[in-house]
Amino acid sequence: MPVTEQGRPDISSRKEDIVKNDDGSIDVYFGPTPPKGHETNWGQTNPKNGWFAYFRFYGPTEHFFDK
């Protein structure tokens, strides 16, 4: 499988410009190009290569465990 340039493969809630919803949740978008108006919450994918998502939870609060 050929490797191609990947410009922005990650998203982090620690980014200062990440857009949060009023309730504190964060919408994330994945695709080869960012959806208009949601560029800061976008993770780039390459349609010629596979990809996978993984999540890291640091210091989850009680709400996380209570679902």
Side-chain angles (χ1 to χ4, degrees):
M1 187 178 297
V3 177
T4 58
E5 187 174 331
Q6 181 104 16
R8 187 181 170 149
D10 66 329
I11 300 172
S12 172
S13 62
R14 296 179 182 201
K15 287 177 41 178
E16 290 184 18
D17 63 345
I18 197 83
V19 178
K20 296 181 181 180
N21 298 318
D22 292 338
D23 65 359
S25 63
I26 299 171
D27 295 331
V28 295
Y29 304 87
F30 296 94
T33 57
K36 198 171 220 169
H38 301 287
E39 294 82 2
T40 58
N41 292 29
W42 164 68
Q44 184 180 17
T45 63
N46 185 321
K48 295 181 181 179
N49 294 325
W51 68 280
F52 65 94
Y54 64 92
F55 300 91
R56 293 183 187 177
F57 298 99
Y58 297 99
T61 62
E62 187 175 326
H63 296 304
F64 171 78
F65 296 106
D66 290 344
K67 315 268 184 287

